[in-house]
mmCIF file of all heavy atoms in Angstrom:
data_model
loop_
_atom_site.group_PDB
_atom_site.id
_atom_site.type_symbol
_atom_site.label_atom_id
_atom_site.label_comp_id
_atom_site.label_asym_id
_atom_site.label_seq_id
_atom_site.Cartn_x
_atom_site.Cartn_y
_atom_site.Cartn_z
ATOM 1 N N GLU A 67 88.269 92.554 74.207
ATOM 2 C CA GLU A 67 89.533 92.502 74.938
ATOM 3 C C GLU A 67 89.747 93.767 75.765
ATOM 4 O O GLU A 67 90.234 93.708 76.901
ATOM 5 C CB GLU A 67 90.689 92.305 73.953
ATOM 6 C CG GLU A 67 90.706 90.914 73.314
ATOM 7 C CD GLU A 67 91.677 90.818 72.147
ATOM 8 O OE1 GLU A 67 92.363 91.827 71.860
ATOM 9 O OE2 GLU A 67 91.731 89.737 71.510
ATOM 10 N N LEU A 68 89.369 94.909 75.209
ATOM 11 C CA LEU A 68 89.502 96.171 75.946
ATOM 12 C C LEU A 68 88.561 96.201 77.146
ATOM 13 O O LEU A 68 88.917 96.698 78.214
ATOM 14 C CB LEU A 68 89.226 97.352 75.010
ATOM 15 C CG LEU A 68 90.293 97.610 73.945
ATOM 16 C CD1 LEU A 68 89.786 98.623 72.916
ATOM 17 C CD2 LEU A 68 91.585 98.121 74.581
ATOM 18 N N CYS A 69 87.374 95.657 76.969
ATOM 19 C CA CYS A 69 86.421 95.601 78.090
ATOM 20 C C CYS A 69 86.957 94.686 79.198
ATOM 21 O O CYS A 69 86.876 95.016 80.382
ATOM 22 C CB CYS A 69 85.065 95.099 77.608
ATOM 23 S SG CYS A 69 84.140 96.286 76.607
ATOM 24 N N ALA A 70 87.510 93.555 78.798
ATOM 25 C CA ALA A 70 88.072 92.632 79.786
ATOM 26 C C ALA A 70 89.228 93.292 80.534
ATOM 27 O O ALA A 70 89.347 93.162 81.760
ATOM 28 C CB ALA A 70 88.535 91.350 79.098
ATOM 29 N N ALA A 71 90.059 94.019 79.802
ATOM 30 C CA ALA A 71 91.195 94.698 80.426
ATOM 31 C C ALA A 71 90.731 95.777 81.406
ATOM 32 O O ALA A 71 91.421 96.084 82.377
ATOM 33 C CB ALA A 71 92.089 95.304 79.346
ATOM 34 N N ALA A 72 89.542 96.346 81.139
ATOM 35 C CA ALA A 72 89.003 97.390 82.017
ATOM 36 C C ALA A 72 88.290 96.811 83.234
ATOM 37 O O ALA A 72 87.846 97.561 84.103
ATOM 38 C CB ALA A 72 88.046 98.287 81.229
ATOM 39 N N GLY A 73 88.155 95.488 83.277
ATOM 40 C CA GLY A 73 87.546 94.864 84.456
ATOM 41 C C GLY A 73 86.167 94.296 84.247
ATOM 42 O O GLY A 73 85.436 94.049 85.210
ATOM 43 N N ALA A 74 85.771 94.053 82.989
ATOM 44 C CA ALA A 74 84.445 93.477 82.733
ATOM 45 C C ALA A 74 84.335 92.113 83.398
ATOM 46 O O ALA A 74 85.248 91.291 83.308
ATOM 47 C CB ALA A 74 84.200 93.348 81.234
ATOM 48 N N SER A 75 83.218 91.874 84.060
ATOM 49 C CA SER A 75 83.005 90.569 84.696
ATOM 50 C C SER A 75 82.686 89.503 83.664
ATOM 51 O O SER A 75 82.918 88.318 83.881
ATOM 52 C CB SER A 75 81.874 90.664 85.727
ATOM 53 O OG SER A 75 80.704 91.185 85.120
ATOM 54 N N GLU A 76 82.167 89.918 82.509
ATOM 55 C CA GLU A 76 81.836 88.970 81.447
ATOM 56 C C GLU A 76 81.762 89.710 80.123
ATOM 57 O O GLU A 76 81.261 90.830 80.052
ATOM 58 C CB GLU A 76 80.496 88.284 81.744
ATOM 59 C CG GLU A 76 80.205 87.100 80.850
ATOM 60 C CD GLU A 76 78.948 86.353 81.279
ATOM 61 O OE1 GLU A 76 78.212 86.869 82.157
ATOM 62 O OE2 GLU A 76 78.694 85.271 80.738
ATOM 63 N N VAL A 77 82.289 89.097 79.072
ATOM 64 C CA VAL A 77 82.191 89.631 77.717
ATOM 65 C C VAL A 77 81.479 88.590 76.872
ATOM 66 O O VAL A 77 81.936 87.453 76.757
ATOM 67 C CB VAL A 77 83.587 89.945 77.123
ATOM 68 C CG1 VAL A 77 83.450 90.426 75.681
ATOM 69 C CG2 VAL A 77 84.310 90.987 77.966
ATOM 70 N N VAL A 78 80.343 88.974 76.288
ATOM 71 C CA VAL A 78 79.500 88.002 75.584
ATOM 72 C C VAL A 78 79.230 88.482 74.151
ATOM 73 O O VAL A 78 78.403 89.373 73.946
ATOM 74 C CB VAL A 78 78.147 87.801 76.316
ATOM 75 C CG1 VAL A 78 77.322 86.729 75.608
ATOM 76 C CG2 VAL A 78 78.382 87.434 77.769
#
Side-chain angles (χ1 to χ4, degrees):
E67 290 169 2
L68 290 169
C69 288
S75 55
E76 191 173 10
V77 177
V78 183

